[in-house]
Amino acid sequence: FSDDMDGLRKVPDNVPKKEMLNEFLGKPLTSIPDPFEKYESFGHHNNAKLCSFLDEFEFDYTFVSSTKKYKNGEFDKTIIEILENYEKILEIILPTLRKERKETYSPFLPISQISGQVLQVKIDEYKPQNHSIVYTEPANNSKVEVKVTGGNCKLQWKVDWAMRWFTFDVDFEMYGKDLIESAILSSKICRVLGKKPPNGFAYELFLDEKGEKISKSKGNGISIEEWLRYASPESLALYMYPNPKRAKKLYSEIVPKTVDEYLSLIEKYPNQKPTEQLLNPVWHVHNGKPPKEKIVMPFSMLLNIVGSSNAKSKEILWKFINKFHKNINSKDHPILDNLTEYAINYFNDKVEPNKKFKKPNSNEKKALKELINKLKSVSQDMNPEEIQTLVYSTGKEQGYSKNLRDWFKLIYEVLFGETDGPRMGFFISFFGVKETIKLIDEKIK
């Protein structure tokens, strides 16, 4: 359901033609030109974005436009019920409002025949017998009687929500934490109209990396469209799955961590007992049929390989993968195949612009040269854990025995331009011993 008949209250920060939109403040979104010049109105543009998002997940849904339902009369019967019960509805809403708001509040918002704006004005007279209300038109200070049906008025938010539940016999409604109070009041209104309100479920808010509420107008945090550029819908479902009543931070750095968690759960699933499998989130994410693909590497390592190999396309990245894993192909590893494209997108957009490579000092160069010497004695088929032990021991020998974290931080900052990175034994095994030696040598020159 799209509230596309709502009046535009303020111009969003993340749209073009702000000056033009400023001229249409207060008017229904479906009466405002599309600033992107793609659709017949700003409301239609937003509706198209919503539908394209739902289509990506192949949801079985019915799209409903508020404007269309108001104007074609499908809400009229319920709106008349609301007009006939306006006093009871006011008794529910008015005690929750500030003094100055109480004086002008009405369940009905007439749409001005002069300005086209959705008006928040005091209603001078309610006429249930005529299906109309009387108000004073701000544009010329004249008394106007208008029918509440046929799209001549829309309803205030909490009343509108109740009207929707009543009209469509809604059984279940999810809503964010910020709408809990609205849901309570809308439920009372629904009962006044004569129906049981839907069962509700309140979920917590999404926050940006600073812990602030994500705002559509500010464009902070990360959008769902961005997530789906960097990772699969299944990883997004996993992110949504646990603790729905706890606030979640939604920003770009969350994506690789969630993907790696998803891959780890996929890997664990076949070896779990049936009761454990039911508790594994991927059982729910995949409707009881998780994929059986063998996980080759974590997403975080794939990101490092993209940077180290300078791969600009998934075809090039696959050639690099096949260099050391000849029996792996995209047909038998669809998850990995998708990850290659996601990794390139994420690396190009989020990692590469923020890389800060460390220039090692003389002592640090000496330590890294010693690592090169140790790696020269390593064969390509050596166990990754053994390579990891060799990297550990080299760090200890080079004066990092008290804080090996600094040793690995040095490697990550010099090789990858980041303070964190993959387990080096597994990275070297996958990236290649000779290739790693060449990479270190190039970075310390």
Side-chain angles (χ1 to χ4, degrees), residues 63 74 203:
F63 175 78
E74 289 187 58
Y203 55 84

Side-chain angles (χ1 to χ4, degrees), residues 110 258 261:
T258 306
E261 182 183 357

Side-chain angles (χ1 to χ4, degrees), residues 75-353:
F75 288 152
D76 284 356
K77 187 177 178 181
T78 310
I79 290 172
I80 291 169
E81 290 269 359
I82 289 169
L83 180 59
E84 291 173 349
N85 288 277
Y86 80 91
E87 290 176 326
K88 293 178 181 178
I89 292 171
L90 288 175
E91 287 174 5
I92 292 170
I93 299 293
L94 291 182
T96 68
L97 302 176
R98 300 186 307 272
K99 182 181 177 181
E100 60 273 18
R101 187 74 182 92
K102 287 180 182 179
E103 295 174 357
T104 59
Y105 180 85
S106 166
F108 298 94
L109 301 172
I111 297 176
S112 172
Q113 297 303 305
I114 298 175
S115 68
Q117 294 179 323
V118 180
L119 301 175
Q120 295 205 37
V121 292
K122 182 179 180 180
I123 301 305
D124 300 318
E125 189 177 354
Y126 295 89
K127 293 187 173 183
Q129 69 280 8
N130 295 341
H131 301 165
S132 65
I133 55 174
V134 178
Y135 72 96
T136 302
E137 169 60 54
N140 58 13
N141 208 33
S142 64
K143 292 283 185 182
V144 177
E145 181 172 348
V146 64
K147 293 284 187 182
V148 295
T149 53
N152 294 301
C153 295
K154 78 173 299 292
L155 298 172
Q156 290 273 11
W157 155 239
K158 298 177 183 71
V159 187
D160 187 279
W161 207 10
M163 180 264 291
R164 206 181 305 167
W165 293 345
F166 184 90
T167 304
F168 299 131
D169 289 320
V170 176
D171 297 309
F172 177 78
E173 181 89 46
M174 289 177 67
Y175 42 84
K177 173 186 175 181
D178 53 337
L179 294 182
I180 290 175
E181 183 62 31
S182 293
I184 292 170
L185 296 175
S186 296
S187 295
K188 291 180 179 179
I189 295 168
C190 195
R191 289 190 183 96
V192 163
L193 298 177
K195 286 187 180 178
K196 182 182 177 181
N199 290 317
F201 183 88
Y203 55 84
E204 256 286 1
L205 302 179
F206 296 103
L207 311 174
D208 66 9
E209 57 190 313
K210 297 178 183 177
E212 297 176 353
K213 180 182 174 182
I214 288 178
S215 165
K216 285 179 284 187
S217 60
K218 289 182 182 176
N220 59 332
I222 182 176
S223 69
I224 300 303
E225 289 84 358
E226 284 181 292
W227 185 298
L228 296 176
R229 173 171 164 78
Y230 306 139
S232 66
E234 291 78 17
S235 68
L236 176 60
L238 175 64
Y239 170 81
M240 297 290 290
Y241 178 83
N243 303 312
K245 292 194 173 185
R246 186 183 300 169
K248 296 173 185 280
K249 289 188 176 182
L250 185 57
Y251 57 99
S252 57
E253 286 78 1
I254 292 292
V255 178
K257 295 176 184 177
T258 306
V259 174
D260 280 347
E261 182 183 357
Y262 169 74
L263 297 176
S264 175
L265 292 170
I266 289 288
E267 196 168 33
K268 288 176 182 177
Y269 184 83
N271 301 317
Q272 291 179 317
K273 297 175 183 177
T275 52
E276 293 173 329
Q277 289 180 333
L278 287 173
L279 294 174
N280 188 327
V282 296
W283 188 93
H284 302 272
V285 168
H286 288 278
N287 297 317
K289 296 179 180 179
K292 298 178 180 179
E293 180 175 334
K294 178 177 173 56
I295 303 304
V296 178
M297 74 180 86
F299 188 57
S300 52
M301 182 182 290
L302 190 57
L303 286 172
N304 288 122
I305 291 172
V306 171
S308 304
S309 64
N310 200 31
K312 298 299 182 185
S313 69
K314 63 186 296 182
E315 291 75 20
I316 294 173
L317 191 53
W318 261 111
K319 286 180 181 179
F320 196 90
I321 293 170
N322 290 143
K323 187 175 181 180
F324 299 102
H325 294 267
K326 300 186 186 303
N327 297 323
I328 292 177
N329 60 69
S330 58
K331 182 180 178 182
D332 296 333
H333 291 79
I335 294 177
L336 178 59
D337 186 48
N338 288 330
L339 284 179
T340 57
E341 190 167 354
Y342 291 136
I344 291 170
N345 289 342
Y346 188 89
F347 181 85
N348 290 340
D349 293 356
K350 301 296 181 182
V351 179
E352 192 168 41

Side-chain angles (χ1 to χ4, degrees), residues 314-413:
K314 63 186 296 182
E315 291 75 20
I316 294 173
L317 191 53
W318 261 111
K319 286 180 181 179
F320 196 90
I321 293 170
N322 290 143
K323 187 175 181 180
F324 299 102
H325 294 267
K326 300 186 186 303
N327 297 323
I328 292 177
N329 60 69
S330 58
K331 182 180 178 182
D332 296 333
H333 291 79
I335 294 177
L336 178 59
D337 186 48
N338 288 330
L339 284 179
T340 57
E341 190 167 354
Y342 291 136
I344 291 170
N345 289 342
Y346 188 89
F347 181 85
N348 290 340
D349 293 356
K350 301 296 181 182
V351 179
E352 192 168 41
N354 298 312
K355 278 185 173 292
K356 294 180 181 179
F357 290 94
K358 179 182 177 69
K359 290 292 182 183
N361 60 35
S362 56
N363 289 332
E364 291 167 340
K365 274 189 180 182
K366 177 176 174 293
L368 292 169
K369 283 180 179 178
E370 183 55 30
L371 178 59
I372 289 176
N373 292 332
K374 292 289 179 70
L375 289 175
K376 286 178 179 178
S377 64
V378 171
S379 63
Q380 181 57 53
D381 57 359
M382 181 183 278
N383 185 291
E385 288 293 352
E386 292 178 7
I387 300 175
Q388 182 76 9
T389 301
L390 181 142
V391 178
Y392 265 114
S393 61
T394 304
K396 289 178 179 178
E397 292 169 5
Q398 296 303 308
Y400 290 91
S401 57
K402 291 183 179 179
N403 194 344
L404 279 167
R405 171 74 185 110
D406 287 346
W407 167 236
F408 284 99
K409 184 180 177 184
L410 169 66
I411 295 172
Y412 298 146
E413 288 180 334

